[in-house]
Amino acid sequence: MKHLLSVNNLQVHFKTFAGEVQAVRGVSFDLTAGEAIAIVGESGCGKSVTAQSIMRLIPSPPGRYVAGEIFFDGENLLPKTEKEMEIIRGKDIGMIFQDPMTSLNPTMKVGHQIVETLNKHTDLAGEAGKQRAVEMLALVGLPNPEKRYGQYPHQFSGGMRQRAMIAMALACNPRLLIADEPTTALDVTIQAQILELMQELKDKLGTSIILITHDLGVVAGFASRVIVMYAGKVVESGTTSEIFYQQRHPYTRGLLASVPRPGQEIRKKLSPIAGRPPDLIAPPQGCAFWPRCERAMLVCREVQPDLVRLSDTHLVSCWLTHEYASKGATIRS
Ligand code: SF4
Ligand code: MG
């Protein structure tokens, strides 16, 4: 199947006073048209940087693309000029964030902001633009869309602002929507409604979606595939069912253990992974997870395990799935 997006060996660094942070260290994945995938990991694992790289939103300096390619619809985005990217952003790729206020202008009526996007990227102007904006506000489930059109973002509740931002991101019918923690700031009920809305719109409009989240709990039922990132790398990826029921990486298991299940006493029994992610100025040699991994072996500290293919869709980077380990042999570096 033809890929809408192919990220190949993406590496992104940031200069800081303390040294160069290796935020993304060789990330590769593909996305087919109409597919919804999730990129999951703790804060600082490089998932947002990966998303922002696709939009080419990494500020340079201090950021820089060290290596890799990002093919969107067959064209590498990394060498594109800022002018070319301005056309692609909004029109071909839309993005929504955790805080709608980062994309909504507080001093401008919501409807006008959507019209502005339409004017920039489409030939819808005047009444047609307004009509399309009202349609979008209705499509994302805002009651009274005509009235909402003329209101300011502060007149919207948090959940409504998130809906307005989705309306704006989808106004030009982009082929890809990147949603970076879109529901993190919302309460659980609104969170479920927003995810349901995104799912509905994906089916209705055929938009591909990349959902970025730290919470594996919101992924089931939404994404068909999951990419788990740790310390700037993909440590496991597979279909949602492979990740939920046949996961092989101790980090993925740790993430799943901290997902509340129905009937479970919330918070009390959840076991977040002990320890903290490594400093990416000087990432550990070997598997970056070893300082936190209960199953770490000597080899883990010394040699980085390659991503091994377990099925057409399932990849994992862990010495425990290495062929020698499965035969019970001693792994030596
Ligand atoms: Fe744990 Fe070793 Fe696997 Fe890393 S490679 S996750 S340290 S067992
Ligand atoms: Mg983030």
Side-chain angles (χ1 to χ4, degrees):
M1 218 180 291
K2 194 172 164 275
H3 292 135
L4 177 65
L5 179 79
S6 283
V7 175
N8 302 324
N9 187 32
L10 180 68
Q11 295 176 40
V12 185
H13 291 184
F14 289 87
K15 273 211 164 64
T16 68
F17 286 117
E20 189 145 304
V21 177
Q22 302 170 32
V24 173
R25 305 190 295 145
V27 163
S28 303
F29 65 92
D30 299 313
L31 178 75
T32 14
E35 191 183 21
I37 63 168
I39 304 181
V40 180
E42 289 163 297
S43 112
C45 70
K47 58 192 193 302
S48 292
V49 175
T50 302
Q52 285 159 12
S53 300
I54 298 168
M55 290 290 268
R56 275 273 309 280
L57 288 174
I58 300 297
S60 168
R64 87 190 155 92
Y65 301 100
V66 177
E69 298 160 324
I70 299 175
F71 282 97
F72 177 77
D73 203 16
E75 282 188 51
N76 189 1
L77 299 182
L78 288 187
K80 292 215 178 282
T81 63
E82 185 48 32
K83 245 202 164 120
E84 290 170 318
M85 280 313 296
E86 270 174 26
I87 298 171
I88 292 171
R89 276 182 222 127
K91 181 169 171 281
D92 295 310
I93 310 177
M95 189 156 178
I96 56 176
F97 303 89
Q98 178 177 337
D99 177 9
M101 287 318 230
T102 51
S103 9
L104 292 175
N105 178 346
T107 65
M108 202 173 163
K109 290 176 179 166
V110 169
H112 293 180
Q113 297 188 46
I114 299 178
V115 169
E116 199 177 52
T117 311
L118 289 168
N119 289 343
K120 199 163 151 190
H121 295 296
T122 70
D123 43 20
L124 287 178
E127 227 6 75
K130 181 179 173 183
Q131 211 176 328
R132 170 82 176 155
V134 173
E135 264 169 39
M136 288 310 296
L137 293 172
L139 188 69
V140 296
L142 283 169
N144 249 327
E146 277 95 5
K147 183 174 149 216
R148 291 291 172 193
Y149 177 93
Q151 288 186 329
Y152 291 93
H154 71 84
Q155 293 171 287
F156 286 53
S157 69
M160 282 178 173
R161 275 205 282 266
Q162 203 54 288
R163 284 175 192 266
M165 188 162 61
I166 295 174
M168 195 155 85
L170 293 179
C172 304
N173 213 355
R175 278 173 293 168
L176 173 61
L177 177 69
I178 302 176
D180 190 357
E181 306 269 7
T183 60
T184 302
L186 305 170
D187 73 48
V188 181
T189 320
I190 311 278
Q191 194 169 327
Q193 288 170 3
I194 295 290
L195 286 170
E196 203 173 296
L197 168 69
M198 282 173 41
Q199 182 94 40
E200 233 178 78
L201 295 174
K202 171 187 137 332
D203 296 341
K204 209 180 271 179
L205 308 172
T207 321
S208 306
I209 299 182
I210 300 178
L211 173 68
I212 312 275
T213 177
H214 67 277
D215 180 2
L216 251 177
V218 306
V219 166
F222 182 85
S224 58
R225 281 190 302 131
V226 181
I227 293 162
V228 181
M229 281 186 71
Y230 186 76
K233 284 179 180 285
V234 174
V235 294
E236 184 160 15
S237 66
T239 62
T240 305
S241 128
E242 280 166 338
I243 294 299
F244 275 76
Y245 303 111
Q246 293 167 280
Q247 79 297 117
R248 298 289 288 275
H249 199 285
Y251 180 64
T252 311
R253 294 200 170 137
L255 282 181
L256 278 162
S258 49
V259 172
R261 279 154 215 271
Q264 190 180 26
E265 215 178 310
I266 303 209
R267 301 278 166 239
K268 223 173 165 189
K269 286 186 192 154
L270 302 186
S271 40
I273 308 160
R276 295 181 50 191
D279 175 7
L280 291 181
I281 290 174
Q285 200 188 332
C287 170
F289 190 56
W290 79 255
R292 301 171 76 185
C293 182
E294 285 175 355
R295 306 198 56 189
M297 304 165 281
L298 255 185
V299 66
C300 305
R301 305 178 178 210
E302 284 161 15
V303 190
Q304 165 70 47
D306 285 338
L307 272 171
V308 172
R309 185 172 290 282
L310 302 176
S311 79
D312 280 354
T313 42
H314 197 177
L315 293 170
V316 64
S317 150
C318 170
W319 284 115
L320 291 172
T321 50
H322 194 281
E323 55 175 322
Y324 297 147
S326 63
K327 286 180 189 137
T330 315
I331 301 169
R332 296 190 53 89
S333 54

